[in-house]
Amino acid sequence: MRVISKRSGMLAFVALGTLPFAGSLSAQTPGTPPSDITVTGQPLPDVSQMTPGPEVKGFISAHAGDKILITTADGTKMPIAISDATHIKASKGFLGGSARLEPASLLNGLPVTIKTLQYPGGLLASQINLHNSDMKMANMIRHGTDQRFAEQSAATEALRGRVGDIDKYNIKSTTNVHFGTGLATLSPDDKAGLCTAAAQAETNENALILVVGYTDSTGSEDTNQALSEKRASKVINYLQQACHWKPYRMLTPTGMAQADPLAPNDTPEGKAQNRRVSVNVLVSKAVDGA
């Protein structure tokens, strides 16, 4: 590993849908309409009579009958109807493939991107996209039946309560893993450094990890976005598989392409610093005494 840096500070809400994820899942009871969704008997008009609506990004904060409630990044809550015409699929996130899904997969806490149609009563979802990795984690946390987590059920329940409604963290440390141009390969030193960071974080039972991938300015925007996600994926997989960091203690990862550079991109040395994955060990302010 070429550089490992540590710093302390505060990180505001970064990954959409990560915090409400744990807290809201435990409160979801299938078949029981939540108080913040109004379920009415008004039938939906034919899809052919609707006009295109806005694209909505946020996380599912409630689900009742044929409606879901979406909370956006600024806290706005938007009820959106679903029907047999709604296409629900897990898009090609960097931890899984794509598949057509059923409405039962729309668990509370899932980050989603929704294409909508407008009708007099509101919005209808024409397509709902989510990531396989988010869906798998939601199922594991909600049902608690995955064998790997059976012995951790008590810890999972405690973690839900600790992170339910928190929007700020203290950064306890940051480890930066660096990459070659266009590459997403971990060196032996990188791997050792990641397990060291995970072992240190494990000493704090309240610690969570947020992984963010970056690139330098070489390449197109689309190429850099995909590369930053691929680098983050490599780090996440190694942390979970080799360093045994529990997935339920991992916040939703993200790729930031060439955003937030550590150094100017006009020199080879600066670009080398920017080709990185940032592994942030976080503790919520509510349990960190801040």
Side-chain angles (χ1 to χ4, degrees), residues 28-109:
Q28 182 176 4
T29 303
T32 303
S35 59
D36 46 6
I37 289 185
T38 301
V39 180
T40 66
Q42 181 181 0
L44 291 170
D46 188 87
V47 172
S48 63
Q49 302 175 18
M50 301 184 189
T51 59
E55 182 177 85
V56 178
K57 293 184 178 181
F59 67 89
I60 300 172
S61 49
H63 184 182
D66 62 355
K67 285 189 177 181
I68 55 177
L69 188 71
I70 303 300
T71 299
T72 63
D74 62 3
T76 301
K77 294 186 175 182
M78 301 180 64
I80 298 178
I82 56 177
S83 72
D84 291 340
T86 301
H87 293 270
I88 307 169
K89 64 179 185 177
S91 58
K92 289 186 177 180
F94 47 95
L95 295 182
S98 60
R100 179 75 179 268
L101 305 174
E102 298 298 324
S105 65
L106 299 176
L107 299 177
N108 285 359

Side-chain angles (χ1 to χ4, degrees), residues 81 85-88 114-117 124-128:
T86 301
H87 293 270
I88 307 169
I114 303 177
K115 295 180 180 179
T116 67
L117 297 170
L124 170 71
S126 60
Q127 182 170 309
I128 302 176

Side-chain angles (χ1 to χ4, degrees), residues 11-255:
L11 183 68
F13 185 64
V14 176
L16 180 63
T18 56
L19 286 176
F21 177 77
S24 58
L25 282 174
S26 60
Q28 182 176 4
T29 303
T32 303
S35 59
D36 46 6
I37 289 185
T38 301
V39 180
T40 66
Q42 181 181 0
L44 291 170
D46 188 87
V47 172
S48 63
Q49 302 175 18
M50 301 184 189
T51 59
E55 182 177 85
V56 178
K57 293 184 178 181
F59 67 89
I60 300 172
S61 49
H63 184 182
D66 62 355
K67 285 189 177 181
I68 55 177
L69 188 71
I70 303 300
T71 299
T72 63
D74 62 3
T76 301
K77 294 186 175 182
M78 301 180 64
I80 298 178
I82 56 177
S83 72
D84 291 340
T86 301
H87 293 270
I88 307 169
K89 64 179 185 177
S91 58
K92 289 186 177 180
F94 47 95
L95 295 182
S98 60
R100 179 75 179 268
L101 305 174
E102 298 298 324
S105 65
L106 299 176
L107 299 177
N108 285 359
L110 280 175
V112 291
T113 299
I114 303 177
K115 295 180 180 179
T116 67
L117 297 170
Q118 299 185 43
Y119 69 102
L123 297 175
L124 170 71
S126 60
Q127 182 170 309
I128 302 176
N129 292 323
L130 55 94
H131 280 181
N132 280 334
S133 56
D134 293 328
M135 184 181 65
K136 290 175 183 177
M137 188 182 297
N139 275 296
M140 283 190 287
I141 292 179
R142 178 184 173 188
H143 298 297
T145 57
D146 190 283
Q147 185 175 358
R148 290 172 297 167
F149 296 99
E151 74 279 8
Q152 297 292 339
S153 58
T156 304
E157 290 298 329
L159 187 65
R160 287 173 179 166
R162 288 198 293 269
V163 303
D165 294 310
I166 305 165
D167 64 356
K168 290 183 179 179
Y169 299 91
N170 290 334
I171 302 178
K172 309 307 289 185
S173 68
T174 297
T175 298
N176 287 315
V177 179
H178 291 83
F179 298 85
T181 303
L183 300 179
T185 304
L186 292 170
S187 71
D189 285 346
D190 294 333
K191 294 175 179 179
L194 287 173
C195 285
T196 296
Q200 292 173 346
E202 188 65 39
T203 63
N204 188 330
E205 65 178 6
N206 298 311
L208 306 174
I209 285 181
L210 172 66
V211 173
V212 185
Y214 299 92
T215 69
D216 61 23
S217 59
T218 304
S220 68
E221 181 178 345
D222 288 344
T223 297
N224 286 339
Q225 181 61 40
L227 181 58
S228 66
E229 293 180 355
K230 185 176 181 181
R231 287 170 174 169
S233 173
K234 289 284 187 178
V235 169
I236 292 165
N237 288 341
Y238 196 81
L239 283 169
Q240 294 180 357
Q241 296 169 10
C243 306
H244 309 297
W245 187 259
K246 298 296 187 290
Y248 67 83
R249 296 179 67 183
M250 183 83 70
L251 296 179
T252 300
T254 187

